[in-house]
Amino acid sequence: MFCKRLINCPSLQLLKTSFVYRPQAIPPINLFRKMSTVGKPIECKAAISYKPKAPLVIDTITVDPPKAHEVRIKIVNTAICHTDAYTLSGNDSEGMFPCILGHEGSGIVESVGPDVTTVKVGDHVIPLYTAECGVCKFCKSGKTNLCGSVRATQGKGVMPDGTVRFHNSKGEALYHFMGCSTFSEYTVVADVSVVAIDPTAPLESVCLLGCGVTTGYGAAIKTADVQKGDTVAVFGAGTVGLSVVQGAQSREASKIIVVDINDNKETVSRQFGATDFVNPTKLPEGQTIVDKLIEMTDGGLEFTFDCTGNVQVMRNALEACHKGWGQSIIIGVADAGKEISTRPFQLVTGRVWKGSAFGGIKGRSEMGGLIKDYQNKKLKVDEFITARRTFDEINEGFEDLHNGTCLRTVLKF
Ligand SMILES: NC(=O)C1=CN([C@@H]2O[C@H](COP(=O)(O)OP(=O)(O)OC[C@H]3O[C@@H](n4cnc5c(N)ncnc54)[C@H](OP(=O)(O)O)[C@@H]3O)[C@@H](O)[C@H]2O)C=CC1
Ligand SMILES: N[C@@H](CCC(=O)N[C@@H](CSC=O)C(=O)NCC(=O)O)C(=O)O
Ligand SMILES: [Zn+2]
Ligand SMILES: [Zn+2]
């Protein structure tokens, strides 16, 4: 024990100061070696999905070091998107088990493999399920944000070289998911599937730009390119749908009608910019949602958006479009085996069916702009966080999705 006089001794203070300061500036070499994980496998916590419909199992996994053109990320926050639940339900034709789900995350680069030039250790990053290589046919076309560089292996749950970086405690291989796998304390992604962001942006919030917010906002301002005065209907008031609403509002749409089967969504829809709310299950007998929307807009809408994944809703959304020019944008992901249909006459008479993935946003070149929009309060993000949980509560986070008021549960490691 130090006596009080000794603690207050100026020379000891100086000694204490220099002792505290030096290790931060130049770590003693053996301490640095002990701390560094670069080039080594990391053991960490992850939520493993062993089979469809089963709760996720939190366990220790091994995450291998990144190979060439790969990046290992320490995930700080991840949210749960409806698509994670969809794949977990077993209805995703690309669903591979056992796997590490999660694709709406944010984190910090822990290490990079050879030939990585676009991010560096310590960068704050968002993993991208829609890669952007800049050199493939898709990227060079200037017509789409869909990049062909890693999509084939991504859909098979493996890295571009065909192997995985995750193993469970028994040494069994675990598949990757959507090129992201954010339900792990550490993950490995392709260098084309990650973007560095402004380090002052709060990771807890901007993880939502990894999917839901970007998808809806981009679908309105890029895919549809809504213009001032346009009329818009959004089916499904989840994070994706409400982000369409804020995109339409930012473009000064004259009418933004939210259609949702849950009356609890009316208040929040109006907070995000909806001018009207319709519950299709509460219409007078004999009136369909298509009739109602056409009546409300003098013949139909300029733009409709499906944010439900329900194929009957997709049909209604198309048929509520204005004859001659109305466009319906499909964003929702439908169960394996489901198909859309309508009378071809609907298209002959000028309605257009389109789709939108990740809002048409090119993640590496356009994410910075979205972060700025958020920082300048032009884009709401924090408002989507309806619950915060620790990573250990991930299964409760999946249950939140069904509680009727949930937009996004954000998990913290
Ligand atoms: N294309 C893309 O790039 C992306 C697609 N997606 C997909 O978009 C969809 C929306 O995702 P997300 O916002 O996270 O999901 P949510 O589940 O949070 O939102 C969907 C909303 O639609 C409502 N709904 C369900 N059925 C109907 C119906 N028949 N008519 C009107 N509203 C209905 C739901 O109500 P209730 O809660 O009562 O069920 C809920 O409010 C999902 O299918 C998801 O997989 C997501 C991200 C990216
Ligand atoms: N695997 C599914 C298709 C899933 C799908 O459509 N995904 C969306 C993103 S959903 C995000 O939450 C998407 O962007 N698709 C484009 C893509 O290249 O995957 C199936 O097989 O039906
Ligand atoms: Zn998603
Ligand atoms: Zn590409």
Side-chain angles (χ1 to χ4, degrees), residues 36-45 60-66 72-74 110-111 165-167 184-187:
S36 177
T37 47
V38 174
K40 298 175 190 159
I42 292 179
E43 286 201 347
C44 68
K45 199 188 272 187
T60 299
I61 64 160
T62 305
V63 182
D64 288 340
R72 190 161 60 182
I73 303 167
K74 179 171 173 50
E110 173 271 338
S111 62
R165 303 289 164 269
F166 303 128
H167 292 86
S184 173
E185 215 173 335
Y186 287 85
T187 191

Side-chain angles (χ1 to χ4, degrees), residues 81 83 103-104 211:
C81 169
T83 305
H103 62 284
E104 204 172 78
C211 184

Side-chain angles (χ1 to χ4, degrees), residues 73-77 105-109 122-127 197 203:
I73 303 167
K74 179 171 173 50
I75 296 291
V76 176
N77 290 103
S106 56
I108 301 172
V109 174
D123 278 353
H124 287 206
V125 292
I126 294 179
I197 58 164
L203 290 171

Side-chain angles (χ1 to χ4, degrees), residues 169-210:
S169 48
K170 291 182 191 155
E172 294 159 347
L174 304 169
Y175 288 111
H176 295 244
F177 176 64
M178 289 177 76
C180 296
S181 290
T182 57
F183 293 166
S184 173
E185 215 173 335
Y186 287 85
T187 191
V188 178
V189 304
D191 59 359
V192 291
S193 305
V194 60
V195 60
I197 58 164
D198 179 347
T200 65
L203 290 171
E204 180 190 73
S205 302
V206 299
C207 70
L208 302 189
L209 292 173

Side-chain angles (χ1 to χ4, degrees), residues 82-83 211 236 238-240 260 265 307 313 331 333 356 358 408:
H82 189 99
T83 305
C211 184
T239 294
V240 173
D260 198 290
K265 293 287 174 77
C307 308
V313 172
I331 306 175
V333 175
S356 182
F358 198 42
R408 280 296 190 263

Side-chain angles (χ1 to χ4, degrees), residues 125-341:
V125 292
I126 294 179
L128 301 167
Y129 65 84
T130 304
E132 184 185 353
C133 76
V135 294
C136 74
K137 183 179 182 185
F138 291 88
C139 284
K140 284 201 296 191
S141 74
K143 297 175 183 172
T144 179
N145 67 329
L146 298 174
C147 166
S149 63
V150 297
R151 183 60 184 85
T153 46
Q154 179 172 314
K156 294 188 170 74
V158 293
M159 295 300 291
D161 74 347
T163 63
V164 299
R165 303 289 164 269
F166 303 128
H167 292 86
N168 68 7
S169 48
K170 291 182 191 155
E172 294 159 347
L174 304 169
Y175 288 111
H176 295 244
F177 176 64
M178 289 177 76
C180 296
S181 290
T182 57
F183 293 166
S184 173
E185 215 173 335
Y186 287 85
T187 191
V188 178
V189 304
D191 59 359
V192 291
S193 305
V194 60
V195 60
I197 58 164
D198 179 347
T200 65
L203 290 171
E204 180 190 73
S205 302
V206 299
C207 70
L208 302 189
L209 292 173
C211 184
V213 174
T214 302
T215 296
Y217 188 64
I221 66 164
K222 257 203 118 175
T223 309
D225 195 15
V226 172
Q227 300 294 312
K228 186 172 179 174
D230 285 343
T231 55
V232 170
V234 180
F235 293 74
T239 294
V240 173
L242 296 175
S243 298
V244 173
V245 169
Q246 60 168 332
Q249 192 194 39
S250 77
R251 289 294 177 86
E252 300 180 58
S254 59
K255 221 180 221 318
I256 305 172
I257 308 170
V258 168
V259 181
D260 198 290
I261 50 178
N262 178 354
D263 285 334
N264 289 335
K265 293 287 174 77
E266 175 163 2
T267 306
V268 71
S269 298
R270 291 187 188 276
Q271 283 164 356
F272 277 94
T275 57
D276 301 83
F277 181 89
V278 180
N279 183 334
T281 67
K282 304 261 173 87
L283 295 173
E285 211 176 318
Q287 188 179 39
T288 67
I289 184 65
V290 173
D291 298 338
K292 174 73 179 171
L293 292 172
I294 288 175
E295 176 195 291
M296 288 172 78
T297 54
D298 186 26
L301 294 118
E302 263 85 45
F303 293 104
T304 65
F305 296 83
D306 167 70
C307 308
T308 70
N310 177 316
V311 294
Q312 181 56 47
V313 172
M314 293 175 191
R315 179 176 190 153
N316 292 339
L318 176 83
E319 296 180 0
C321 284
H322 202 287
K323 182 178 176 177
W325 62 76
Q327 296 189 18
S328 188
I329 320 297
I330 294 180
I331 306 175
V333 175
D335 290 350
K338 294 284 184 187
E339 293 183 350
I340 47 172
S341 62

